[in-house]
Amino acid sequence: MKSSFEDLAIFGGVPAFNDKLHVGRPNIGDRQRLLERINDILDRRWLTNSGPYVQEFEQRIADLVGAKHCIAMCNGTVALEIAIRAMRLTGEVIVPSFTFIATAHALQWQEITPVFCDINPHTHNIDPCQVERLITPRTTGIIGVHVWGRGCDVDALTDITRRRNLKLLFDAAHAFGCSYKGRMIGNFGDAEIFSFHATKFFNTFEGGAVVTNNDELATTIRLMKNFGFAGYDNVIYVGTNGKMSEVSAVMGLTGLESLDEFIAINYRNYDQYRRELEGLPGVHFLTYNETERYNYQYIVLEIDRAATRISRDHLVQILHAENILARRYFYPGCHRMEPYRSHFPHAGLLLPETERVAERVLSLPTGTAIGPEEIRAICNIIRLALQNVEAVNMRLESSWASREPLRGLAEDM
Ligand code: T4K
């Protein structure tokens, strides 16, 4: 354990970790069980096209969420694209900018304009109070994102969409296993989508799903994800290929058997981070309301530079030098990425909270790949940097002045 800021790797000390610590190392369930199921797939020679494992997986997800329909997909982005199309969204759709780029791209890919809405700085979720002024005659719907798995204001968005006759889709990529007002996420709006990407706490290698309680929508989505086939030689709809493979489904079925364990480990990590970082001035630790269910897959800090006197980006550089690959999700916000920044060069003026939060957030490693020792070491580095901030800043400045290269600057910084 490092005891002096002089030992920080950014100043030439030995990195705290030999191997890189990633934010989202995949959680893997019972390997033996997984391999047995993969062997079974190979024996049956049924690899995809809504095979028996995909059907079982869909049923298990629908049961877990308590939704009528689950349609498994090859990834969360395609799940979004297909849901958007099946819901007949066109023209403009209101969406937060503080989200992963896939939410906006799924619209733009279909030549629908994402109209970016600001967030509530406390929840990091779309601010319903800002939504109505963005509605125009071209608006057909709203996409709410449950950022970090914390449900966005479903009630307010439902109210707006009912009053204004709009469609409501939720991007629940972060929110599998989470609840909103005691009801499982997956039951709200016209439909919700999940991501089961490798970096999610529950993964199917790549994968995703649309869940809905709307029978008609479910039928359309099933057709669309399979080229519009309604049977052999019978195409009745325009569709694409959004199918999940059998091997992804068995990864999911195996992971589901360890779901409670994954969540318990995430919670243990979250609780330790919270205790170890408590009381550090200027460090706001994002908490989960204990009356709801969460997957605790994101450990998020907000760094208030005015109080810490060190920027979030310098802290990230310090961590990266130690091989702790903290991430700046979702910096700089979709509106500052292409093509949106060219389409709406002044969007930032309408998104002050998004801009402020995107400058402050920082995600730390968690999941089954790390344990109490790693977390203690990560928090120790953060504390060392913040408790010696004057000296750290002086060293950083003199390194820059003398053009002495700092260790561990990540390519993406
Ligand atoms: N909507 C929202 C709100 C989302 O957050 C996402 C995805 C989507 C929609 C779209 O769902 P998908 O189409 O992806 O199913 C990652 C994930 O790729 C992405 O799924 C996720 N959100 C987003 C928040 O994070 P990157 O570009 O930051 O991931 P990457 O490749 O840098 O991986 C993160 C860390 O995990 C790395 O440090 C390395 C490590 N890693 C990664 C992979 C793939 C591993 O250790 N093993 C692995 O197999 O986007």
Side-chain angles (χ1 to χ4, degrees), residues 40-91:
D40 186 46
I41 293 173
L42 299 178
D43 290 344
R44 288 197 219 185
R45 290 178 190 255
W46 194 274
L47 307 186
T48 184
N49 288 10
S50 211
Y53 281 122
V54 166
Q55 290 179 33
E56 186 183 342
F57 178 70
E58 288 178 336
Q59 192 57 54
R60 291 286 318 277
I61 298 291
D63 290 347
L64 208 142
V65 167
K68 255 173 115 177
H69 306 279
C70 166
I71 303 108
M73 299 276 176
C74 53
N75 61 55
T77 306
V78 168
L80 269 173
E81 287 168 3
I82 292 180
I84 287 166
R85 202 170 180 106
M87 286 167 60
R88 298 178 187 277
L89 296 179
T90 55

Side-chain angles (χ1 to χ4, degrees), residues 22 24-26 76-77 99-100 171 173-174 195 197 199-200 327 329:
H22 296 282
R25 287 254 100 165
T77 306
T99 178
F100 189 59
D171 178 342
H174 299 182
S195 164
H197 181 258
T199 54
K200 296 290 180 289
R327 297 292 298 264
Y329 293 137

Side-chain angles (χ1 to χ4, degrees), residues 131-288:
V131 166
E132 286 203 69
R133 66 190 175 93
L134 300 174
I135 297 174
T136 73
R138 296 189 71 225
T139 309
T140 54
I142 299 173
I143 301 182
V145 183
H146 305 302
V147 175
W148 318 131
R150 304 192 310 173
C152 59
D153 193 340
V154 171
D155 289 346
L157 294 176
T158 305
D159 176 57
I160 295 170
T161 48
R162 284 202 179 131
R163 276 193 291 104
R164 307 296 294 261
N165 199 21
L166 300 171
K167 299 278 172 49
L168 180 57
L169 174 63
F170 288 105
D171 178 342
H174 299 182
F176 179 59
C178 303
S179 67
Y180 170 82
K181 296 198 173 166
R183 193 168 177 213
M184 292 306 282
I185 285 178
N187 286 285
F188 301 109
D190 295 283
E192 305 207 49
I193 74 94
F194 293 127
S195 164
F196 305 133
H197 181 258
T199 54
K200 296 290 180 289
F201 89 105
F202 164 75
N203 80 86
T204 58
F205 301 121
E206 288 272 3
V210 182
V211 280
T212 177
N213 290 312
N214 180 325
D215 299 340
E216 202 181 322
L217 192 59
T219 306
T220 308
I221 289 170
R222 272 197 192 286
L223 285 167
M224 281 187 168
K225 69 116 203 235
N226 188 26
F227 313 102
F229 273 109
Y232 283 134
D233 311 327
N234 184 22
V235 172
I236 61 165
Y237 224 91
V238 63
T240 183
N241 183 353
K243 290 169 287 161
M244 176 179 271
S245 72
E246 287 287 273
V247 78
S248 283
V250 296
M251 182 67 171
L253 286 168
T254 310
L256 282 177
E257 288 159 5
S258 299
L259 200 71
D260 292 344
E261 186 195 332
F262 296 157
I263 294 174
I265 289 170
N266 279 353
Y267 180 78
R268 183 200 66 195
N269 291 348
Y270 158 79
D271 195 45
Q272 184 181 349
Y273 271 119
R274 183 174 54 177
R275 281 184 281 108
E276 301 231 6
L277 295 173
E278 201 165 25
L280 268 183
V283 176
H284 172 68
F285 185 82
L286 188 128
T287 55
Y288 294 89

